[in-house]
Amino acid sequence: MQQPSEVPVPPARRRTGPLLAALAAGLVIGGAGVGAAWALTVESGGARGPEADARAACGALERFDESRYTDKGPAGEAALNRWGAAQALSASAAAGDERFEPLAEALRRAHHRFNSVFEFDARAKKDLERARGICADL
């Protein structure tokens, strides 16, 4: 009896597609991080630390349009991200320097109010205006 001959199995190939995609994504994300850091430094007039964070928070707040916050699509996404950035950066500024606590507190109050009534009502808008006034004085 003759034994069946073994069929040679080609060596496993490494797939480079996922590796290249991950590398490209890393480069894009890294480049975006460097670009954001550069933009924050330029926009803040060379300020560093808490002051730079406060100025960046004010920049995000200046571009935030609360009337677009619940919109679907790019306008809503931009509003959502600017709102989140303003809150996070103001909290960071306040953590580093108590002079920026009023800005962080005004944005926290507006955030809590929005979460209570699910809209930027008169009370939330009053806190937003207070925050914008603080920003005008920076």
Side-chain angles (χ1 to χ4, degrees), residues 40 48-57 84-101 103-105 107-108:
L40 289 175
R48 297 193 183 278
E51 184 178 350
D53 288 342
R55 290 181 184 277
Q87 290 176 75
L89 287 163
S90 69
S92 177
D97 188 332
E98 65 185 24
R99 293 180 301 149
F100 302 115
E101 181 57 36
L103 173 61
E105 181 59 28
L107 291 176
R108 270 193 298 271

Side-chain angles (χ1 to χ4, degrees), residues 1 8 17 24 45 61 63 72 78 85 94 96 101 105 122 138:
M1 256 199 254
L61 183 60
R63 293 183 304 277
K72 302 287 186 212
E101 181 57 36
E105 181 59 28
L138 284 183

